[in-house]
Amino acid sequence: MPAWASRPTVPVSAPAAVPEQSRGEHTHSEPPAPGIVARGVVERTSVRGQVLDALRAALVSGDLAPGEVYSGPALGERFGVSATPVREAMQQLAREGAVEVVPNRGFRVTRRSDRELAELAEVRALVEVPVVTRLARTVAPARWAELRPLVRATTAAAVVGDRAGYAEADRVFHRALLAFAGNDQVVRVADDLHRQVGWSTSDLAVDAHQHVVLLDALVAQDCGAVGLLVREHIGG
């Protein structure tokens, strides 16, 4: 498996936030909790990356709730780091559409409507369905064995109900699948879309089983089935 396909370890399991009333909204402030602690000289980008992983996991699990506002200093205290890497990680999440900036307050977790999720799924299907269907015709069936460990990873996360782990394993699987096309821009665009809708899956077991069926259809080079399965899986 290529190095980029390994799921990064998320060192923080964020506790539920305790709201603090301010200007008619809840801005969350939490007590310190074990988590990301710099030991010696730690690269700033490494800390930011760990915080970003932890925030993404908290978004998937619901520990960071849609519609709520969270401040950089409060989240920094929760994770045992300064506010700077938290703000930098939150800015990345804002670019991905997961949160929005609230001036002088912090960041509000995006609350997506059913219509927005459906629109994102439609766009994602427009990108992935034709690409994967073409791959079913052009990639040697034996090559798909490379994705079996990634499919098993999604199944393992689904079995234990690890939503954060599942979201990351699912993202890695789709990145690896699309990478067969040899088009970095397709992978990047699809990955951005996946991050925006990846935590909306309601039934992990069903979603994971779709990976198994899709991979079997790719091995069989059943292009018609592949197209239908990708569309169903994405929900577009």
Side-chain angles (χ1 to χ4, degrees):
M1 186 190 310
W4 56 263
S6 299
R7 176 178 174 237
T9 300
V10 178
V12 176
S13 178
V18 179
E20 178 182 284
Q21 189 72 26
S22 174
R23 298 185 190 177
E25 283 186 298
H26 288 90
T27 300
H28 288 238
S29 177
E30 300 83 16
I36 302 170
V37 180
R39 294 191 179 117
V41 179
V42 179
E43 290 291 338
R44 180 175 168 184
T45 54
S46 175
V47 175
R48 183 174 66 241
Q50 291 178 65
V51 171
L52 182 58
D53 288 341
L55 289 171
R56 282 176 172 151
L59 286 168
V60 174
S61 67
D63 285 334
L64 297 183
E68 298 293 345
V69 177
Y70 299 86
S71 72
L75 289 172
E77 188 176 5
R78 171 194 285 192
F79 294 156
V81 299
S82 70
T84 298
V86 174
R87 290 195 183 100
E88 291 172 344
M90 278 294 199
Q91 290 291 348
Q92 175 61 37
L93 292 173
R95 288 190 289 271
E96 295 173 4
V99 302
E100 58 184 11
V101 178
V102 181
N104 302 317
R105 298 291 310 286
F107 300 85
R108 181 184 291 111
V109 178
T110 301
R111 188 192 301 275
R112 297 200 182 279
S113 67
D114 289 342
R115 178 174 179 175
E116 288 175 313
L117 290 172
E119 289 173 347
L120 286 167
E122 182 179 5
V123 174
R124 189 177 165 202
L126 288 172
V127 174
E128 294 195 35
V129 170
V131 172
V132 180
T133 301
R134 175 167 56 84
L135 293 176
R137 296 193 305 269
T138 58
V139 175
R143 293 286 311 280
W144 297 118
E146 298 172 27
L147 298 188
R148 291 291 180 189
L150 305 185
V151 169
R152 288 195 291 269
T154 64
T155 301
V159 167
V160 297
D162 180 0
R163 296 190 66 82
Y166 184 86
E168 181 61 17
D170 181 61
R171 187 182 71 86
V172 169
F173 168 76
H174 283 274
R175 280 182 61 90
L177 172 60
L178 294 171
F180 278 94
N183 188 325
D184 291 342
Q185 297 307 311
V186 166
V187 175
R188 180 184 60 79
V189 170
D191 196 48
D192 287 344
L193 290 167
H194 185 282
R195 286 199 184 281
Q196 295 183 63
V197 300
W199 52 82
S200 63
T201 300
S202 58
D203 193 325
L204 300 184
V206 170
D207 202 75
H209 182 65
Q210 289 174 343
H211 292 150
V212 177
V213 178
L214 172 59
L215 204 53
D216 289 343
L218 287 166
V219 171
Q221 294 186 305
D222 188 340
C223 298
V226 166
L228 291 173
L229 287 166
V230 175
R231 186 173 296 279
E232 180 184 2
H233 180 64
I234 292 174

